[in-house]
């Protein structure tokens, strides 16, 4: 455990980088699937390749609601460290995979670790960050997750082109071990609630105490469905349609991947003045505009200059949303149920990602195919229009988020003198 002015930043860095690793492995395989199928040979067909992605997403979607209950027994910090080690072990097993079944099992082990890392990281960083610094630090923390989703195809393409697909997973091993060690030093155990909250706490009775929480969950589901459903196919466009190498394809989406680095700090500062709701709305709006731009103008002959505005808008929109989502959740969840609400929210978002990939795959195969550039672009256009519509629904959910509930600081210990009057949440928090 650490103290001092840098303790909050250290906790934000440890938890944020852990979330970054988990987010990276959502889509890092997109530009490596062709090489994996070729290397593993028989058994690694298109259906198996889909499970290389879904085997990771399923436990991440299913397990988070159970994490808060288990953490009550073993401690959130201890479980977070154990989850990092499980994720690291799964990464090493994936790197050593010799068959499609082995790789699928290893990906499921990775996902099991990630299922605990993501919700616990939010409660751990919230416990370490003072309230007056929370918007900026949580903006950085949340944006790391968005950056990981965007940079996944770039990392995968670079590793495949200059190394081998195994190194996509080997990269996680030293980083996971370092983060587990850092968590022991820089993270502290949050205060335990008087009783374990049930897994359904994210929806009730919390929904009655905070009318905005269901809208936060709905917004997260829809944004993840739209982003993952479109990026799953859009990341393949430079290679499948325009014939670029994996690395060249990664470079072409660099404006999109780099936007969170620029926008996230600004989003944190903006939330300090306006609250999370306007930032969420802006992120969903830019995401819808990006998908619509691509749907209108993207085809096999589209020059890069035409693609650039869509890349910039999509990256900015994703950065705004991921930066504001943690603050929106914390502002609407009761203090004693933050862990449960975080677990439910993580599950809802990952179910959204699964639903988005599945729905976009069905839509793509009905309208287009991978048989050639023209039919691929035709299927992608349909997926992009669906993604734009989903982002508009997420925007409406963000608008429906109500004002944050009143927060009252805990009473001082016996014998202590209160130095401040009770403070209520700013009306502009959401």
């Amino acid at each position: 455990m650490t103290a001092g002015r840098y303790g909050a930043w250290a906790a934000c860095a440890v938890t944020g980088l852990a979330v970054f690793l988990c987010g990276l492995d959502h889509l890092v395989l997109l530009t490596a699937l062709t090489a994996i199928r070729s290397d593993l040979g028989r058994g690694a067909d298109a259906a198996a390749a889909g499970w290389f992605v879904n085997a990771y997403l399923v436990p991440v979607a299913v397990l988070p609601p159970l994490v808060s209950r288990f953490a009550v027994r073993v401690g959130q910090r201890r479980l977070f460290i154990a989850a990092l080690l499980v994720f690291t072990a799964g990464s090493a097993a994936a790197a050593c995979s010799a068959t499609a079944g082995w790789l699928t099992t290893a990906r499921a082990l990775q996902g099991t670790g990630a299922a605990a890392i993501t919700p616990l990281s939010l409660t751990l960083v919230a416990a370490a960050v003072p309230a007056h610094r929370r918007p900026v630090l949580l903006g950085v923390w949340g944006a790391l997750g968005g950056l990981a989703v965007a940079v996944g195809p770039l990392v995968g393409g670079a590793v495949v082109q200059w190394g081998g697909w195994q190194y996509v997973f080997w990269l996680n091993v030293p980083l996971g071990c370092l983060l587990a060690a850092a968590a022991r030093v820089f993270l502290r155990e949050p205060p335990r609630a008087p009783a374990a909250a049930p897994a359904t706490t994210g929806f009730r009775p919390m929904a009655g105490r905070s009318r905005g929480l269901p809208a936060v969950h709905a917004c997260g589901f829809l944004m993840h469905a739209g982003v993952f459903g479109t990026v799953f196919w859009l990341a393949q466009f430079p290679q499948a349609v325009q014939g670029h190498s994996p690395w060249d394809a990664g470079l072409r989406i660099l404006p999109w991947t780099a936007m969170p680095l620029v926008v996230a700090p600004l989003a944190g500062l903006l939330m300090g003045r306006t609250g999370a709701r306007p930032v969420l709305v802006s992120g969903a709006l830019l995401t819808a505009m990006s998908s619509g731009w691509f749907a209108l103008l993207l085809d096999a002959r589209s020059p890069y200059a035409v693609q650039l505005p869509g890349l910039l808008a999509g990256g900015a929109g994703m950065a705004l949303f991921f930066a504001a989502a943690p603050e929106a959740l914390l502002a609407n969840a009761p203090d004693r149920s933050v862990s449960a609400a975080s677990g439910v929210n993580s599950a809802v978002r990952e179910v959204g990602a699964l639903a988005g990939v599945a729905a976009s795959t069905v839509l793509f195969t009905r309208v287009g195919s991978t048989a050639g550039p023209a039919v691929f672009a035709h299927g992608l256009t349909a997926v992009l229009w669906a993604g734009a519509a989903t982002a508009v629904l997420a925007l409406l959910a963000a608008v429906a988020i109500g004002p944050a509930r009143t927060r009252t600081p805990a009473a001082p210990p016996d014998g202590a003198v209160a130095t401040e009057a009770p403070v209520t949440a700013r009306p502009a928090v959401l």
Side-chain angles (χ1 to χ4, degrees), residues 137-414:
L137 286 173
L138 287 185
V140 174
W141 178 90
L144 284 171
L147 176 63
V149 172
V151 84
L154 175 64
V155 172
V159 170
V160 169
Q161 184 153 332
W162 286 304
W165 63 265
Q166 293 87 350
Y167 289 97
V168 169
F169 301 108
W170 280 127
L171 289 173
N172 293 334
V173 176
L175 293 175
C177 292
L178 286 173
L179 286 173
R184 292 181 59 87
V185 177
F186 295 112
L187 299 183
R188 62 181 176 86
E189 182 68 22
R192 293 194 178 189
T200 56
T201 301
F203 294 110
R204 67 178 187 183
M206 286 166 60
R209 295 179 61 186
S210 175
R211 290 175 296 176
L213 191 60
V216 173
H217 290 323
C219 186
F221 175 89
L222 291 166
M223 278 294 292
H224 276 68
V227 168
F228 277 84
T230 54
V231 77
F232 184 82
W233 296 103
L234 188 60
Q236 302 178 55
F237 174 83
Q239 296 179 71
V241 177
Q242 296 189 322
H244 295 287
S245 68
W247 173 244
D248 289 339
L251 284 177
R252 285 177 167 266
I253 64 171
L254 188 59
W256 179 39
T257 63
M259 284 303 291
L261 297 176
V262 178
V263 174
L266 299 178
L269 294 173
L270 183 61
M271 278 192 294
R273 297 186 176 184
T274 68
R277 180 166 61 178
V279 180
L280 287 175
V281 171
S282 299
L285 177 61
L286 286 172
T287 301
M289 292 172 61
S290 171
S291 295
W293 178 272
F294 281 126
L296 285 171
L297 302 175
L298 199 62
D299 59 37
R301 297 169 295 179
S302 296
Y304 186 65
V306 170
Q307 303 175 35
L308 188 58
L311 293 170
L312 293 173
M318 188 169 58
L320 289 172
F321 172 80
F322 281 109
E327 172 67 11
L329 178 66
L330 290 176
N332 283 272
D335 288 329
R336 62 182 295 176
S337 301
V338 166
S339 178
S342 178
V344 170
N345 191 257
S346 293
V348 166
R349 289 187 282 108
E350 299 305 332
V351 169
L354 275 171
V357 172
S360 67
T361 300
V362 171
L363 179 60
F364 180 89
T365 54
R366 286 182 177 272
V367 178
S369 75
T370 58
V375 288
F376 187 101
H378 190 60
L380 177 59
T381 299
V383 169
L384 289 166
W385 280 123
T390 305
V392 170
L393 293 176
L395 186 154
L396 296 177
V399 172
I401 296 175
R405 63 187 182 82
T406 298
R407 291 181 177 272
T408 303
D414 292 339

Side-chain angles (χ1 to χ4, degrees), residues 26-88:
H26 278 72
L27 297 176
V28 73
L29 289 187
L30 287 185
T31 47
L33 287 176
T34 301
I36 292 174
R37 288 197 299 264
S38 176
D39 196 19
L40 297 184
R42 186 176 180 180
D45 55 11
W51 274 107
F52 297 157
V53 176
N54 290 337
Y56 181 86
L57 292 178
V58 168
V60 172
V62 172
L63 297 180
L66 305 178
V67 170
S68 61
R69 305 192 70 178
F70 190 56
V72 170
R73 298 185 177 183
V74 303
Q76 296 185 42
R77 175 174 167 268
R78 183 179 297 177
L79 183 58
F80 180 78
I81 295 171
L84 275 170
L85 296 177
V86 170
F87 177 83
T88 302

